[in-house]
Short mmCIF file of all heavy atoms in Angstrom, two decimals:
data_model
loop_
_atom_site.label_atom_id
_atom_site.label_comp_id
_atom_site.label_asym_id
_atom_site.label_seq_id
_atom_site.Cartn_x
_atom_site.Cartn_y
_atom_site.Cartn_z
N GLN A 27 26.94 123.63 148.34
CA GLN A 27 25.68 124.10 148.91
C GLN A 27 25.42 123.59 150.32
O GLN A 27 24.66 124.17 151.06
CB GLN A 27 24.53 123.67 147.99
CG GLN A 27 24.63 124.28 146.59
CD GLN A 27 23.47 123.85 145.72
OE1 GLN A 27 22.38 123.61 146.20
NE2 GLN A 27 23.71 123.72 144.43
N THR A 28 26.05 122.49 150.68
CA THR A 28 25.83 121.91 152.00
C THR A 28 27.14 121.90 152.76
O THR A 28 28.11 121.31 152.32
CB THR A 28 25.31 120.47 151.89
OG1 THR A 28 24.14 120.48 151.07
CG2 THR A 28 24.96 119.93 153.27
N LYS A 29 27.18 122.55 153.88
CA LYS A 29 28.40 122.60 154.65
C LYS A 29 28.72 121.23 155.22
O LYS A 29 27.85 120.39 155.38
CB LYS A 29 28.28 123.64 155.77
CG LYS A 29 28.22 125.07 155.27
CD LYS A 29 28.29 126.05 156.41
CE LYS A 29 28.35 127.47 155.88
NZ LYS A 29 28.46 128.47 156.96
N GLN A 30 29.98 121.04 155.53
CA GLN A 30 30.44 119.79 156.11
C GLN A 30 29.78 119.58 157.47
O GLN A 30 29.28 120.53 158.08
CB GLN A 30 31.96 119.80 156.23
CG GLN A 30 32.69 119.92 154.90
CD GLN A 30 32.61 118.65 154.08
OE1 GLN A 30 32.47 117.57 154.61
NE2 GLN A 30 32.70 118.79 152.77
N PRO A 31 29.76 118.34 157.97
CA PRO A 31 29.13 118.09 159.27
C PRO A 31 29.70 118.98 160.37
O PRO A 31 30.90 119.21 160.43
CB PRO A 31 29.46 116.61 159.53
CG PRO A 31 29.71 116.04 158.19
CD PRO A 31 30.31 117.13 157.36
N VAL A 32 28.80 119.49 161.19
CA VAL A 32 29.20 120.37 162.30
C VAL A 32 29.13 119.57 163.59
O VAL A 32 28.08 119.04 163.94
CB VAL A 32 28.29 121.61 162.39
CG1 VAL A 32 28.69 122.47 163.58
CG2 VAL A 32 28.37 122.42 161.09
N LYS A 33 30.22 119.52 164.31
CA LYS A 33 30.20 118.85 165.60
C LYS A 33 29.91 119.85 166.70
O LYS A 33 29.92 121.07 166.47
CB LYS A 33 31.55 118.15 165.86
CG LYS A 33 32.73 119.07 166.04
CD LYS A 33 34.04 118.30 166.15
CE LYS A 33 34.37 117.58 164.86
NZ LYS A 33 35.74 117.02 164.86
N THR A 34 29.65 119.36 167.87
CA THR A 34 29.41 120.24 169.01
C THR A 34 30.74 120.54 169.68
O THR A 34 31.48 119.63 170.07
CB THR A 34 28.48 119.56 170.03
OG1 THR A 34 27.22 119.32 169.40
CG2 THR A 34 28.27 120.43 171.24
N TRP A 35 31.06 121.82 169.75
CA TRP A 35 32.25 122.25 170.48
C TRP A 35 31.82 122.76 171.85
O TRP A 35 31.03 123.70 171.95
CB TRP A 35 32.98 123.35 169.72
CG TRP A 35 33.66 122.85 168.50
CD1 TRP A 35 34.76 122.04 168.42
CD2 TRP A 35 33.29 123.11 167.14
NE1 TRP A 35 35.09 121.78 167.13
CE2 TRP A 35 34.21 122.42 166.32
CE3 TRP A 35 32.26 123.85 166.55
CZ2 TRP A 35 34.12 122.46 164.93
CZ3 TRP A 35 32.18 123.89 165.19
CH2 TRP A 35 33.11 123.20 164.38
N LYS A 36 32.30 122.12 172.87
CA LYS A 36 31.89 122.54 174.21
C LYS A 36 33.00 122.32 175.22
O LYS A 36 33.84 121.43 175.08
CB LYS A 36 30.63 121.80 174.65
CG LYS A 36 30.80 120.31 174.88
CD LYS A 36 29.48 119.69 175.36
CE LYS A 36 29.63 118.18 175.57
NZ LYS A 36 28.35 117.57 176.03
N LEU A 37 32.99 123.19 176.23
CA LEU A 37 33.78 122.98 177.43
C LEU A 37 32.85 122.36 178.45
O LEU A 37 31.71 122.82 178.62
CB LEU A 37 34.32 124.30 177.96
CG LEU A 37 35.40 125.04 177.17
CD1 LEU A 37 34.86 125.67 175.90
CD2 LEU A 37 36.03 126.13 178.04
N TRP A 38 33.29 121.30 179.13
CA TRP A 38 32.43 120.73 180.16
C TRP A 38 33.27 120.14 181.28
O TRP A 38 34.44 119.76 181.09
CB TRP A 38 31.46 119.70 179.59
CG TRP A 38 32.05 118.37 179.19
CD1 TRP A 38 32.63 118.06 178.01
CD2 TRP A 38 32.05 117.18 179.98
NE1 TRP A 38 33.02 116.75 177.99
CE2 TRP A 38 32.68 116.17 179.18
CE3 TRP A 38 31.59 116.84 181.25
CZ2 TRP A 38 32.85 114.86 179.64
CZ3 TRP A 38 31.75 115.54 181.70
CH2 TRP A 38 32.38 114.57 180.91
N TYR A 39 32.63 120.07 182.47
CA TYR A 39 33.32 119.66 183.70
C TYR A 39 32.36 118.85 184.55
O TYR A 39 31.14 119.07 184.51
CB TYR A 39 33.81 120.91 184.46
CG TYR A 39 34.64 121.84 183.59
CD1 TYR A 39 34.03 122.76 182.74
CD2 TYR A 39 36.02 121.77 183.58
CE1 TYR A 39 34.76 123.59 181.92
CE2 TYR A 39 36.78 122.60 182.76
CZ TYR A 39 36.15 123.50 181.93
OH TYR A 39 36.89 124.30 181.10
N ASN A 40 32.91 117.93 185.31
CA ASN A 40 32.05 117.12 186.18
C ASN A 40 32.11 117.56 187.63
O ASN A 40 31.78 116.81 188.54
CB ASN A 40 32.42 115.63 186.07
CG ASN A 40 33.87 115.36 186.39
OD1 ASN A 40 34.56 116.22 186.94
ND2 ASN A 40 34.35 114.17 186.05
N GLN A 41 32.50 118.81 187.83
CA GLN A 41 32.51 119.41 189.17
C GLN A 41 32.32 120.92 189.05
O GLN A 41 32.67 121.51 188.03
CB GLN A 41 33.83 119.11 189.89
CG GLN A 41 35.04 119.65 189.15
CD GLN A 41 36.34 119.37 189.87
OE1 GLN A 41 36.41 119.44 191.09
NE2 GLN A 41 37.38 119.04 189.11
N PRO A 42 31.77 121.54 190.08
CA PRO A 42 31.67 123.00 190.07
C PRO A 42 33.06 123.62 190.15
O PRO A 42 34.05 122.94 190.44
CB PRO A 42 30.85 123.32 191.32
CG PRO A 42 30.26 122.03 191.76
CD PRO A 42 31.17 120.95 191.29
N ALA A 43 33.13 124.92 189.90
CA ALA A 43 34.39 125.62 190.12
C ALA A 43 34.77 125.50 191.58
O ALA A 43 33.98 125.83 192.47
CB ALA A 43 34.23 127.09 189.74
#
Side-chain angles (χ1 to χ4, degrees):
Q27 298 180 31
T28 306
K29 292 188 175 182
Q30 298 288 333
V32 177
K33 67 186 66 170
T34 298
W35 288 290
K36 67 178 179 180
L37 291 72
W38 73 275
Y39 307 82
N40 57 14
Q41 60 179 322

